[in-house]
Amino acid sequence: MEYFERPQTEKTEEMSIFPRISLKPEVTQHLKSIFLNKEVLAAVGHQEAESRFQKLLACLSHPPSYTCVRASAHLAPLEEIRLQLRDELTKQQMCSSSAEEGSVRILPHPRIPDVLLLPVDGPRPVKQLSSEVLVGAQCGSAVLRGAHVFAPGIVASPKCMKAGDAVSVFSDLEGRCTRGATSFRGKKVFVGNGVAEMDRSSLFCADKPARGVGVRMVEPLYRSPCFDGVLPSLAFLQNLPSVVVGHVLGPRPGERILDMCAAPGGKTCHIAALMRDQGEVVALDRIRNKIDRIRQNAQMLHLNSIKAFCFNSTQAVSSDPAEETEGPPFPPESFDRVLLDAPCSGLGQRPNMGTTWSLKEICSYQPLQRKLFQAAVRLLKKGGVLVYSTCTVTLAENEEQVAWALDTFPRLALQPQEPHIGAEGMPGAGLSPERLRLLQRFSPELSWEQTETTAPLSCRADGDTIGFFIAKFLKT
């Protein structure tokens, strides 16, 4: 895989907007040791490896430059959904007090038949106001991807703020602001300007927690459409690599498929849609209210083949193979395909301006992932397909898990992936070049061959994603 950089002026301007992701020093050093491991240094040299690592730290704090929408192609043709979406977003733009000229640009992905791409405008030259609202880091990240500020995300506001006031919105990077404060001098970053929809007294009322939009964004630093209530059954916001996972799994009508860690159900619903809702998709998750979310998504997308259960997937294999039950645990070799989108450290998520996790927390996922993997292999039929994925960038949770799986389960063999639009696997886990080429690592610090901003949208969108990893196995 070859890489490209954006033109220096564009890259420098963009990366100066936010600082690098804020991590504990021990975590930064750990990540550096991963991206500058001996195999990487032998492949690309110290200077290039160091450059990639620094780019990773810089780009993680920024949102991807494209919004990815998975269209419900099982309900309507892609072009029909594209036109409906364009009309809805154009109406939204016209109703906005800061409406700008120009039509909404929505393009189909040339290789993924149910994906629509929308360019994100940013970072934009937005002037900060004197009145400041502070939101939590998670809320701030959502704003950078097109959301308005919902009331529960607000942690501080001016003392006399009233509905209708123009305010600047800042994100609390380290979570140190006391809820209800009137000002904050800690580490924060500007994410745009908006109009307050509520008085301060309503926001921080102890007797009745505020709900709904607290600040409506009118001048976001990154402008992308707000999808709240927009074609909910036809247009599903989903990161591009997460859509790729469903296609790599390759579900077919009539099969029985297991999604082991399914919440909130985006991938589950995609699997059912790809099967044309013919067959059975079993979705498991440990948290009950997340199961409700899966069922709600399935209902909204008119999918009837999904059966969701609250269950710990590490215990999903029945000790009595002769016992046939509708729900978990299941007898060994019960499923044609298994998706293990594993719990992980999430260090590929974007935008992520900072995390307070310790190195111990970052490194705590590998044992759980292996327990889940063992259950997945047992539940998979002979000749079945297992797809393992994470949204993190570490070796321990990605390539090292592949190396461990191939050593532990001789009947597993790596398979080519289609589509394969990310980079190959990262060296460092002792995997051969042939095996690394079969893996798919979405690496936002890497880019593509074209340097011009006029390069096809899909090429740039394929490279500018969250950090993500996919491995596909066949059980022989």
Side-chain angles (χ1 to χ4, degrees), residues 42-189:
V44 302
H46 189 280
Q47 184 175 354
E48 174 63 16
E50 176 71 34
S51 174
R52 293 181 185 180
F53 175 62
Q54 296 302 329
K55 288 177 186 175
L56 175 72
L57 297 181
C59 73
L60 285 177
S61 62
H62 293 70
S65 299
Y66 307 89
T67 296
C68 176
V69 175
R70 175 168 59 78
S72 297
H74 64 292
L75 297 178
L78 183 69
E79 180 62 13
E80 180 180 320
I81 296 173
R82 187 185 75 84
L83 293 175
Q84 286 192 49
L85 184 60
R86 187 191 64 184
D87 291 345
E88 289 295 318
L89 295 180
T90 300
K91 291 177 188 176
Q92 179 190 106
Q93 188 182 69
M94 292 174 63
C95 292
S96 170
S97 60
S98 62
E100 298 174 356
E101 293 185 1
S103 60
V104 177
R105 188 180 178 204
I106 307 175
L107 295 177
H109 193 288
R111 290 185 58 190
I112 309 177
D114 52 1
V115 164
L116 297 170
L117 298 169
L118 292 78
V120 174
D121 177 21
R124 305 164 67 245
V126 180
K127 186 177 180 180
Q128 297 179 19
L129 307 175
S130 58
S131 185
E132 298 182 2
V133 166
L134 193 75
V135 302
Q138 187 174 359
C139 179
S141 295
V143 168
L144 291 175
R145 299 206 73 172
H148 295 298
V149 176
F150 284 81
I154 299 175
V155 293
S157 73
K159 187 175 182 179
C160 299
M161 187 181 79
K162 300 293 184 183
D165 287 354
V167 296
S168 282
V169 178
F170 288 79
S171 179
D172 177 10
L173 288 186
E174 299 176 332
R176 294 187 176 182
C177 181
T178 302
R179 183 169 179 80
T182 57
S183 62
F184 180 64
R185 296 183 178 275
K187 197 171 182 181
K188 60 186 179 182
V189 293

Side-chain angles (χ1 to χ4, degrees), residues 237-252:
L237 278 181
Q238 197 166 16
N239 287 305
L240 183 63
S242 297
V243 182
V244 171
V245 164
H247 288 282
V248 168
L249 184 66
R252 298 171 182 172

Side-chain angles (χ1 to χ4, degrees), residues 289-300:
N289 64 355
K290 290 187 175 182
I291 293 298
D292 294 336
R293 177 77 181 278
I294 295 171
R295 290 170 178 160
Q296 290 167 6
N297 281 332
Q299 184 177 16
M300 178 179 66

Side-chain angles (χ1 to χ4, degrees), residues 324-341:
E324 289 283 350
T325 60
E326 182 185 39
F330 303 101
E333 302 190 352
S334 292
F335 295 93
D336 299 288
R337 298 173 197 264
V338 175
L339 172 61
L340 173 51
D341 186 50

Side-chain angles (χ1 to χ4, degrees), residues 14 26 42 75 135 157 259 321 326 366 368 376 419 426 445 455 470:
E14 175 180 341
E26 61 183 10
L75 297 178
V135 302
S157 73
D259 187 351
E326 182 185 39
Q366 192 183 70
L368 171 61
M426 177 188 287
E445 75 279 5
I470 310 173

Side-chain angles (χ1 to χ4, degrees), residues 403-417:
W404 165 81
L406 294 173
D407 288 342
T408 305
F409 306 103
R411 292 169 61 187
L412 288 185
L414 281 175
Q415 297 295 295
Q417 300 183 35

